[in-house]
Amino acid sequence: MPLIESLHAREILDSRGNPTLEVKVTLSGGVTGIASCPSGASTGTFEARELRDDDASRYRGKGVLHAVANVNGRLAASLHGQRVDNQRELDALLNFLDGTPTKAHLGANATLAVSLACARAAAQYHHIPLYLYLGGSNAHVLPVPMFNVVNGGAHAKGGTDVQEYKIIPIGAPTFSEALRYGSEIYHVLGDVLISRGYGSSIGDEGGYVPGVTSNEEVLTLLMEAIELAGYAAGTDVAIGVDPAANAFRHGEEYLLRLDSQTLSSEELISYWTGWLDRYPIISLEDPLADDDWAGFASMTKSLGDRVQIVGDDLFVTNPAFIRRGIEEKCCNCALIKPNQIGTMTETLDAAAIALHAGYACMVSHRSGETLDTGIADLAVALNCGQIKAGSPIRGERVAKYNRLLEIEHELGETAKYAGSSAFRPTTEIDAR
Ligand code: PGA
Ligand code: ZN
């Protein structure tokens, strides 16, 4: 039986240069599993708690030495001798030891790194890849990658109000071809921006930060780059947008600074509808703030059969919030970010609940990333057909895409690229 011998956590840096944890699990026979935890900047109000030291003398308060100590002390002692390949039992133990609904005591950054490191060690012990360990023998669907090629909001100071503009190669025949489409368009877009005098600064997820004069202008630039690169906008390559509307919510209204507009919830829905009328947008994430459940329900009713409406900050990968979304018919896709909830089991539960009700699921990175590629395996494990991991540049982003290339190669003939079938907008949410 594969038993846990030791746990060891260290403080490392994420892609923004802020501390995070890396955890190594060693089994009694010497097999190891290593994992690290990413970190968000535009976080949902109800995400599990990322434990930071708040000691201003180190890393401007962002150190994670307490979370590291929680792993090396309490968790190492409690998990010693536990079976590593019963993920549900291990994660239940992590929850029990934490004792809070938000992992506030141990830190979700600590629990997630431990949970994922254990899954890796177990997969290693059984000589199977992580996607098969997490998903079972039917895991074979390569997700459509959504490349966040223009960054704004909390990921790019001075950029657009809208946080993410993504290109989505739905018409590619394979994942590797999708990656090529994405890389080519990314570079053509760079040339277009230079030719317009828009500079070449880059945001946290590797996307450009052009000095546009409206939020909508970016969409015209994307259309141009897609066509210039030789692809048909809408059929080969579609567009996704993540406004991350929490960031521009002011009181009861939404303030689009770049457009000099202040809008109500209903007016903002009309604003997005205009975009859907003019551009091939197939995915719209957090178009409203995360307390605007009524707005989400109204929008899903009116637009849910036209576009994928994704709950990120709204659902925070939390089974309870996703259940509420199902009851109130909010959104038709759930974003899946393991560190929003803090264990792999709860992440898998969140996705299962969403998929069962007829939602799509999109696995996602965070704006502060590490070289950990666990989300690539998770996307294949879920057969959910969608992943967003940033631009096709920067080590921490391409690590995920390169891992998917590796999985595609490993699966060979049995690999299936999700393509446009991953996007089936619906208002038929099943609240059974
Ligand atoms: P975050 O943003 O990782 O900074 O929270 C990503 C997103 O909003 O999807
Ligand atoms: Zn988001």
Side-chain angles (χ1 to χ4, degrees), residues 103-172:
K103 318 245 179 343
H105 182 58
L106 294 170
N109 41 356
T111 58
L112 193 262
V114 168
S115 180
L116 181 55
C118 286
R120 277 222 171 83
Q124 188 74 27
Y125 176 88
H126 290 292
H127 302 289
I128 54 171
L130 184 60
Y131 61 91
L132 290 183
Y133 179 70
L134 293 175
S137 60
N138 194 39
H140 70 292
V141 177
L142 270 291
V144 176
M146 311 222 187
F147 302 109
N148 181 12
V149 294
V150 171
N151 294 181
H155 300 159
K157 286 199 179 66
T160 49
D161 302 292
V162 166
Q163 181 181 281
E164 302 174 12
Y165 296 84
K166 287 166 284 200
I167 50 171
I168 314 176
I170 45 171

Side-chain angles (χ1 to χ4, degrees), residues 23-368:
V23 168
K24 180 177 183 178
V25 177
T26 305
L27 306 185
S28 45
V31 167
T32 59
I34 295 176
S36 52
C37 186
S39 173
S42 78
T43 47
T45 315
F46 298 103
E47 290 195 22
R49 170 92 189 280
E50 182 180 72
L51 191 61
R52 300 251 174 219
D53 297 338
D54 294 328
D55 166 5
S57 70
R58 294 186 74 253
Y59 288 112
R60 309 199 302 166
K62 289 181 181 291
V64 293
L65 293 181
H66 287 117
V68 164
N70 287 342
V71 176
N72 293 340
R74 184 112 187 267
L75 291 181
S78 307
L79 268 62
H80 176 82
Q82 293 288 327
R83 198 177 165 144
V84 81
D85 58 354
N86 188 337
Q87 191 73 34
R88 187 164 285 274
E89 201 168 87
L90 272 183
D91 290 338
L93 180 57
L94 293 177
N95 269 305
F96 172 77
L97 292 168
D98 175 75
T100 74
T102 54
K103 318 245 179 343
H105 182 58
L106 294 170
N109 41 356
T111 58
L112 193 262
V114 168
S115 180
L116 181 55
C118 286
R120 277 222 171 83
Q124 188 74 27
Y125 176 88
H126 290 292
H127 302 289
I128 54 171
L130 184 60
Y131 61 91
L132 290 183
Y133 179 70
L134 293 175
S137 60
N138 194 39
H140 70 292
V141 177
L142 270 291
V144 176
M146 311 222 187
F147 302 109
N148 181 12
V149 294
V150 171
N151 294 181
H155 300 159
K157 286 199 179 66
T160 49
D161 302 292
V162 166
Q163 181 181 281
E164 302 174 12
Y165 296 84
K166 287 166 284 200
I167 50 171
I168 314 176
I170 45 171
T174 60
F175 174 79
S176 41
E177 283 293 273
L179 188 54
R180 180 173 68 79
Y181 290 16
S183 164
E184 290 171 3
I185 296 166
Y186 180 84
H187 289 108
V188 169
L189 178 62
D191 295 343
V192 169
L193 298 179
I194 294 285
S195 72
R196 293 281 213 295
Y198 280 159
S200 53
S201 37
I202 298 291
D204 287 352
E205 298 187 350
Y208 302 106
V209 187
V212 289
T213 52
S214 73
N215 287 292
E216 183 168 344
E217 188 185 350
V218 175
L219 296 169
T220 64
L221 295 165
L222 287 193
M223 294 296 283
E224 186 176 336
I226 293 169
E227 302 279 349
L228 266 178
Y231 297 103
T235 47
D236 292 332
V237 180
I239 293 176
V241 175
D242 179 2
N246 275 0
F248 50 87
R249 174 78 175 260
H250 286 266
E252 288 300 302
E253 299 187 304
Y254 294 91
L255 172 62
L256 293 170
R257 184 191 46 81
L258 198 53
D259 304 332
S260 308
Q261 290 197 62
T262 304
L263 305 175
S264 68
S265 180
E266 284 303 321
E267 285 166 343
L268 185 60
I269 295 173
S270 303
Y271 178 94
W272 303 134
T273 309
W275 283 21
L276 298 183
D277 291 340
R278 293 188 288 281
Y279 306 95
I281 293 171
I282 61 169
S283 185
L284 192 47
E285 180 176 327
D286 285 347
L288 300 165
D290 67 5
D291 61 352
D292 197 352
W293 289 82
F296 270 100
S298 155
M299 189 166 171
T300 306
K301 194 166 177 210
S302 60
L303 296 175
D305 55 359
R306 260 181 91 178
V307 68
Q308 170 170 284
I309 301 171
V310 188
D312 169 13
D313 293 344
L314 186 73
F315 291 157
V316 291
T317 317
N318 187 320
F321 284 66
I322 292 175
R323 281 200 187 93
R324 176 173 174 191
I326 295 166
E327 286 293 326
E328 299 181 16
K329 295 191 189 296
C330 293
C331 304
N332 52 25
C333 177
L335 202 72
I336 301 295
K337 289 170 163 170
N339 82 319
Q340 279 184 327
I341 188 72
T343 64
M344 292 311 290
T345 296
E346 288 159 287
T347 303
L348 293 168
D349 281 351
I353 291 165
L355 291 168
H356 186 72
Y359 282 69
C361 283
M362 185 198 305
V363 173
S364 170
H365 68 158
R366 301 307 303 253
S367 50

